[in-house]
Amino acid sequence: MRFVMFCHSLVSDWNHGNAHFLRGIVSELQAAGHLVDVYEPEDGWSRTNLLEERGQSAVAAFEARFPSLRSMTYAPGGPELETALAGADVVIVHEWTDPALVAALGAHRARRGHYRLLYHDTHHRAVSDRASWERLPLGGYDAALVFGRALAEVYRARSAVPRVFTWHEAADVRVFHPLPAPALRACDLVWIGNWGDDERAAELDEFLLGPIRTLGLSAEIYGVRYPERAIAALEAAGAVYRGYLPNHEAPAVFAGARLTVHVPRRYYAEALPGIPTIRPFEALACGVPMISAPWQDAEGLFEAGRDFLYARSGAEMTRSIAGLLSDEPRRRALAQHGRATILRRHTCAHRVAELLQLLRDLGAREAA
């Protein structure tokens, strides 16, 4: 089949975690023999920031690491759709696509009707910015793919999309897998995540910085959009702030740490239970022991206590980190079990198989 994908960026993962999953899906579709064309705006916010910070060398590094992945850029206003969609069987539109293009694609589908048009949502906007979400022009779309059952329920109750499918993110195990640990570990704890818009500032202080301060841990923090006050807080806790990390370099960083922690954004811990976001999938795929701040695994994606540990408070996180650092067999058991769960249930290959099945349910040509 021929897939056409519209997204914010395939090339840039600067404050754009969705690129991780999209790269894995495109890679798996290609490996299965499908043709995939990807379109992204030439002036996309993530791509622009990446180029400002790292220059063209960052794009060259992406192309070297992912030689089969390429995207076509378009100017404001979008690409010429008759050309872009000629011969398409499936068109997937990610939620950061400009609403005007979202609408144009829906109108094109309504006129032409020869492909299946899917809207892909991996964000909390439906509950955090309901007015903006409700203005999304999703007329003409065949279905929505959303990254959790809680979000699917919102779509079914409040959107005009006729079909809604739960399609969780997953690990691209072509990239995320264990690497040999260096002879001298770089740190006790590593955390990879962007600051965002203060969506979890209090949680990061309680579940990340508090334990680092209390235990005197060697810790490294990676991510972007950290304001000066946040960087100062990291330094005061004794952590080292490393800044932007290209996603494909994360496995080597995980290999140098004894453990990692997961601190979900507040919307995923409270308003959209059951959505872990992509970071835990990737960490577990790399075989790094993980302790998570509270979130409700409403869909039974993991096995708590065997794939990772839960900490219900900062004090419990501190105790759990101390205990795990002193228990290498326990760390090894968590790492092995967590990775086994990823390989059994949560790879991008699994998600492509799910995608092809739901396309059969939608009657897509060549998917039967």
Side-chain angles (χ1 to χ4, degrees), residues 3 16 45 70 75 92 115-116 135 156 159 204 224 239 273:
F3 288 78
H16 179 45
W45 179 81
R70 294 293 183 270
I92 300 176
Y115 54 83
R116 292 295 175 264
R135 289 195 300 270
R156 292 189 182 107
S159 83
L204 287 173
V224 300

Side-chain angles (χ1 to χ4, degrees), residues 331-345:
R331 294 201 308 273
R332 189 182 310 116
L334 279 174
Q336 291 173 348
H337 201 280
R339 175 163 167 77
T341 294
I342 295 297
L343 294 178
R344 188 174 65 253
R345 303 179 59 192

Side-chain angles (χ1 to χ4, degrees), residues 73-92:
T73 59
Y74 57 84
E80 203 286 308
L81 294 185
E82 291 299 323
T83 301
L85 303 180
D89 298 297
V90 180
V91 179
I92 300 176

Side-chain angles (χ1 to χ4, degrees), residues 177-211:
H177 52 78
L179 295 177
L184 182 64
R185 295 274 191 175
C187 60
D188 296 320
L189 181 153
V190 65
W191 190 74
I192 303 174
N194 301 317
W195 183 261
D197 301 307
D198 288 339
E199 292 175 356
R200 53 184 165 186
E203 292 86 346
L204 287 173
D205 185 68
E206 178 179 2
F207 290 97
L208 179 64
L209 300 188

Side-chain angles (χ1 to χ4, degrees), residues 157-368:
R158 303 206 303 260
S159 83
V161 181
R163 300 284 297 276
V164 182
F165 297 90
T166 298
W167 199 44
H168 282 283
E169 293 181 307
D172 179 0
V173 294
R174 297 169 184 272
V175 176
F176 289 88
H177 52 78
L179 295 177
L184 182 64
R185 295 274 191 175
C187 60
D188 296 320
L189 181 153
V190 65
W191 190 74
I192 303 174
N194 301 317
W195 183 261
D197 301 307
D198 288 339
E199 292 175 356
R200 53 184 165 186
E203 292 86 346
L204 287 173
D205 185 68
E206 178 179 2
F207 290 97
L208 179 64
L209 300 188
I212 292 172
R213 285 191 300 265
T214 300
L215 298 173
L217 303 177
S218 60
E220 295 185 350
I221 311 298
Y222 293 82
V224 300
R225 296 184 66 203
Y226 282 69
E228 289 185 5
R229 57 184 170 77
I231 294 174
L234 296 180
E235 293 173 348
V240 178
Y241 175 57
R242 299 292 192 190
Y244 169 69
L245 179 72
N247 195 47
H248 61 269
E249 296 180 10
V253 170
F254 282 133
R258 290 182 172 84
L259 58 83
T260 189
V261 299
H262 174 50
V263 184
R265 296 178 188 271
R266 200 167 304 135
Y267 288 112
Y268 300 128
E270 299 175 358
L272 292 173
I275 299 176
T277 72
I278 201 166
R279 300 284 187 186
F281 293 112
E282 294 175 340
L284 296 181
C286 287
V288 60
M290 187 179 81
I291 308 173
S292 177
W295 66 279
Q296 182 183 353
D297 186 7
E299 298 181 51
L301 301 176
F302 301 106
E303 188 176 349
R306 302 191 70 188
D307 291 331
F308 60 87
L309 303 181
Y310 268 123
R312 291 165 292 185
S313 66
E316 187 172 347
M317 176 67 82
T318 301
R319 291 193 298 271
S320 295
I321 290 174
L324 205 53
L325 287 175
S326 65
D327 190 345
E328 184 176 353
R330 178 65 165 144
R331 294 201 308 273
R332 189 182 310 116
L334 279 174
Q336 291 173 348
H337 201 280
R339 175 163 167 77
T341 294
I342 295 297
L343 294 178
R344 188 174 65 253
R345 303 179 59 192
H346 301 307
T347 70
C348 287
H350 289 106
R351 299 303 182 256
V352 164
E354 294 168 8
L355 175 62
L356 295 177
Q357 180 56 56
L358 69 88
L359 288 170
R360 285 190 283 270
D361 293 344
L362 290 171
R365 64 188 187 187
E366 298 187 36

